[in-house]
Amino acid sequence: MLAYECYKPCDETRRLDTESCARVVWRNKKLGLEEYRFLLKNMVSSGIGEETYGPRNVVEGREESPSLAEAFSEMDEIIFDTLDKLFARTDISPSEIDVLVVNVSLFSPAPSLTSRIINRYNLRNDIKAFNLSGMGCSASVVAVDLVQQLFRTYKNKLAIVVSTESMGPNWYCGREKSMMLSNILFRSGGCSMLLTNNRALKHKAILKLNCLVRTHFGSNDEAYECCMQVEDQQGHPGFRLTKKLPKAAALAFTMNLQVLVPKILPLREQFGYVIQSYYESRIRKSTSSTKPEAVLGAGLNLKAGIEHFCLHPGGRAVIDGTGKGLGLDEYDLEPARMALHRFGNTSAGGLWYVLGYMEAKKRLKKGDRILMISLGAGFKCNNCVWEVMKDLEDPNVWKDCIDRYPPKSLANPFQERYSWLNDEYLSFVRL
C-alpha cells in the first residue's frame, strides 16, 4: 500500500450530535413510547459520540423520500474527495491506474460507480474495473483480496480501491426495533487507497500485505439471516440486525482463525492453540455453550505474532466481544473504540479510520504487524495482516481532534438529556 485517504465532510451542518439525532427521531411519527425508550437505551450504550456525520438528506429531513440524485451526490462527495486527495498526496496521475475496485453494498446504479470514476478522471480504456455490491462491512478486505489475486497475473501495476457505503437512500423510517439499530450505528464515511506490486515503488510503500484469509458462513441459515436488507410489515425498507449476529460472528471468526493462525504465529503458540482448542471443543460439547467467548476460546496469544489490532468499529458490543474472545486489553481496543466514537460505524470504510488513529497516535513503527479483523453480512469474516514498512505518524483525518483522544469519558449525552423517557409516569401518558 502506497497511501490511503479517509473521508471527513467539510460541511459541519452534517454533524449528528445529540440535538440533531433527537430531531431525526421526533420526526418519525410512527414511533411510540416503547420505541423511544429502545432508541434511548441503545444510543446511550452505542459508544458513538457527538461528532459523527450523517447523509445530507437525513440531516435536512428528507429521509422518507430519498432521490436518485441525492444518492449520487452522496457517493460523489465521498469518492471524489478521497480520490482527489489520494492523487495529490502520491503524485500519481489517474492515467497510470491499471486496476479499479469499488465496493458499495447498498447502491448499485447503471452505469456502475466504477464507470462514474473512469468518466470523471478520464482513466485508460484498458483499465480492469470491478464494482462490488452486497458485501457488507467486510467488503474492504474483499476488495484488497481481489487486487491481490489480479496482481498475481498482472505485474508492475497500480490499483485503486474505494470503500464506502450509501446511507441516505437506506435510512429506515419504520418502527421495527431490529431494523432501527442500523440508524443508531451507521454513519457517513469512506476511504480510497492506492496499492501496487511494482517493486520499484517499494521505498514509497507504507504497508505490505503479508496474508489474507476469507471465511463465508452463509451456508448456515441463522448466520445468513442475522444481517439482512429487508422490508418490514408496512413496506419500509431497511437493514435488519438480529440477536443471532454475535453467535454468527464468533463462529465465522473461529473458522477464520483456524486458517489464519498457522500463517501468523510461531510453532510453539500454534501447538498450544491446538491443545486449547481441543479442550474447548470438549467443554462446549459437554455444556452446549453458545456464548461467543466460549466459541472463540481462551489461551490464544495472538500478540506473539501481532503488534496491533485493527478491529471493525461495528459497535461497542462487537468491539467488547472480539476483545474478550481474543484476550485483548484496553490499549489494543482503544483505536476501534475511538474510531466508533468519533466517526461511527462507516461500514466497509471503518477499518481505515481505526488504522488512521493508530498512525495519528504514532503507534506504527517499521516492522510492526497489524491484524485487520472485519465482519460483514453473508455472514463473512475477512481478516488480513499488514506489515508496516516505515514509521508512520501522519495525523490524516484525525488531524483536528487527535489531541482530544482518548477523552476522559465516553458517556453519551442522551442519557442526561432524555432520561425522562424512562420515568414510570409516562407509561400512563400518550405522547
Side-chain angles (χ1 to χ4, degrees), residues 33 142 157 161 215 283 338 363 410:
L33 180 59
V142 175
K157 302 299 181 183
V161 170
T215 302
I283 293 172
M338 298 307 107
R363 292 187 177 192
L410 295 179

Side-chain angles (χ1 to χ4, degrees), residues 121-354:
Y121 293 99
N122 195 26
L123 302 185
R124 299 201 316 265
N125 56 16
D126 64 342
I127 191 169
K128 306 294 185 291
F130 301 86
N131 200 86
L132 307 181
S133 64
M135 292 290 180
C137 296
S138 66
S140 193
V141 178
V142 175
V144 170
D145 183 46
L146 176 56
V147 170
Q148 179 186 225
Q149 301 302 328
L150 290 168
F151 277 175
R152 290 176 178 173
T153 302
Y154 303 99
K155 305 302 180 182
N156 300 323
K157 302 299 181 183
L158 287 167
I160 290 282
V161 170
V162 180
S163 292
T164 184
E165 190 53 274
S166 175
M167 302 296 180
N170 297 286
W171 195 266
Y172 179 58
C173 298
R175 58 181 297 172
E176 188 172 321
K177 292 180 179 178
S178 63
M179 297 173 70
M180 290 161 62
L181 285 172
S182 61
N183 290 359
I184 295 173
L185 294 172
F186 287 100
R187 295 293 186 266
S188 293
C191 180
S192 293
M193 60 213 80
L194 179 64
L195 304 109
T196 185
N197 63 346
N198 188 342
R199 292 185 179 275
L201 297 175
K202 184 177 179 180
H203 65 287
K204 293 185 177 182
I206 60 172
L207 301 172
K208 180 180 73 172
L209 184 65
N210 281 354
C211 64
L212 188 152
V213 176
R214 291 170 57 184
T215 302
H216 204 305
F217 199 40
S219 59
N220 181 284
D221 289 342
E222 283 188 355
Y224 175 74
E225 296 171 359
C226 73
C227 189
M228 180 177 285
Q229 188 179 20
V230 295
E231 287 184 348
D232 64 16
Q233 293 182 345
Q234 285 71 44
H236 299 291
F239 209 75
R240 183 177 63 203
L241 305 173
T242 74
K243 294 180 179 179
K244 302 292 185 181
L245 197 154
K247 179 182 176 182
L251 290 171
F253 195 12
T254 302
M255 295 167 64
N256 189 281
L257 285 178
Q258 291 171 354
V259 180
L260 182 66
V261 163
K263 298 176 182 290
I264 64 175
L265 293 186
L267 284 174
R268 67 179 184 277
E269 291 295 337
Q270 294 183 42
F271 182 68
Y273 175 58
V274 170
I275 296 175
Q276 184 67 36
S277 297
Y278 172 76
Y279 283 109
E280 285 289 326
S281 64
R282 294 287 297 272
I283 293 172
R284 288 200 301 274
K285 288 179 181 178
S286 63
T287 62
S288 299
S289 176
T290 59
K291 292 182 179 181
E293 54 266 29
V295 178
L296 282 173
L300 177 60
N301 182 22
L302 285 178
K303 293 183 181 181
I306 299 294
E307 283 75 32
H308 307 283
F309 296 86
C310 187
L311 279 62
H312 169 56
R316 196 177 75 173
V318 172
I319 297 171
D320 289 347
T322 305
K324 184 175 182 180
L326 296 180
L328 305 181
D329 56 33
E330 278 304 311
Y331 178 84
D332 301 319
L333 299 178
E334 180 184 305
R337 291 196 195 283
M338 298 307 107
L340 177 67
H341 185 269
R342 176 61 182 86
F343 295 99
N345 180 351
T346 54
S347 190
L351 286 170
W352 308 101
Y353 291 92
V354 181

Side-chain angles (χ1 to χ4, degrees), residues 343-370:
F343 295 99
N345 180 351
T346 54
S347 190
L351 286 170
W352 308 101
Y353 291 92
V354 181
L355 182 70
Y357 182 86
M358 295 178 184
E359 184 176 359
K361 283 293 185 181
K362 302 180 181 180
R363 292 187 177 192
L364 305 180
K365 306 300 180 183
K366 183 178 180 179
D368 286 356
R369 291 151 298 182
I370 307 165

Side-chain angles (χ1 to χ4, degrees), residues 72 75-76 79-80 83 87 94 97-104 107-125 127-133 143 146-147 150 159-164 192:
F72 275 121
M75 291 296 92
D76 289 349
I79 294 173
F80 298 154
L83 284 177
F87 289 132
I97 303 302
D98 304 286
V99 178
L100 174 63
V101 183
V102 176
N103 61 262
V104 177
F107 184 51
S108 184
S112 67
L113 293 173
T114 51
S115 296
R116 201 170 179 87
I117 294 172
I118 291 170
N119 177 262
R120 163 75 177 241
Y121 293 99
N122 195 26
L123 302 185
R124 299 201 316 265
N125 56 16
I127 191 169
K128 306 294 185 291
F130 301 86
N131 200 86
L132 307 181
S133 64
L146 176 56
V147 170
L150 290 168
I160 290 282
V161 170
V162 180
S163 292
T164 184
S192 293

